[in-house]
Amino acid sequence: MLYAIMATDIENSLSLRQQARPAHLARLQQLRDEGRLIIAGPFPAVDNDDPSVAGFTGSLIVAEFADFSSAQRWADADPYVEAGVYANVIIKPFKQVF
C-alpha cells in the first residue's frame, strides 16, 4: 500500500537539512531503485523553486510499504529525523487515483 509521509521542519532548519541531505537522499534513492517511490520533495518556505536562505518548511514522501508499521519504521529512521530537522512527522495511507 502507498503511504504519505508528511513532515514539518523546525524553524531555521536549513543548516541541519544540508548536513543530513546526502544520507536522506541515499535512502530515497534506495526506495526509487526498488520501484517503491512515487514522489518526494521539500516544501519551499517561499514561492520559489530555489528558496535560498528562506529554506524549507517540511517534506512530502509518497512511497509503497508493506504496512503502516513498516512506513513508520522507515520514517523514524530518516536522517532528517535523527538530525532534528523535523518538528513532527505524520504518516497516512494514500490511495493514488491519478
Side-chain angles (χ1 to χ4, degrees):
M1 175 157 203
L2 296 179
Y3 291 87
I5 301 170
M6 300 161 287
T8 303
D9 282 22
I10 62 168
E11 287 195 35
N12 303 311
S13 64
L14 188 57
S15 65
L16 293 173
R17 271 183 169 268
Q18 291 169 332
Q19 292 170 12
R21 189 169 192 260
H24 173 76
L25 292 180
R27 291 182 81 237
L28 290 171
Q29 185 64 50
Q30 182 179 358
L31 282 179
R32 183 178 177 191
D33 292 348
E34 294 169 358
R36 298 171 40 207
L37 182 64
I38 303 303
I39 191 168
F43 300 117
V46 293
D47 191 11
N48 193 312
D49 281 342
D50 180 8
S52 187
V53 296
F56 301 93
T57 61
S59 301
L60 170 66
I61 298 165
V62 177
E64 183 180 347
F65 294 93
D67 52 36
F68 183 87
S69 295
S70 298
Q72 182 72 60
R73 282 191 304 277
W74 189 92
D76 288 346
D78 191 297
Y80 281 175
V81 170
E82 294 172 359
V85 171
Y86 295 148
N88 65 42
V89 177
I90 297 170
I91 302 169
K92 293 185 176 189
F94 181 80
K95 180 177 172 151
Q96 184 175 9
V97 176
F98 292 102

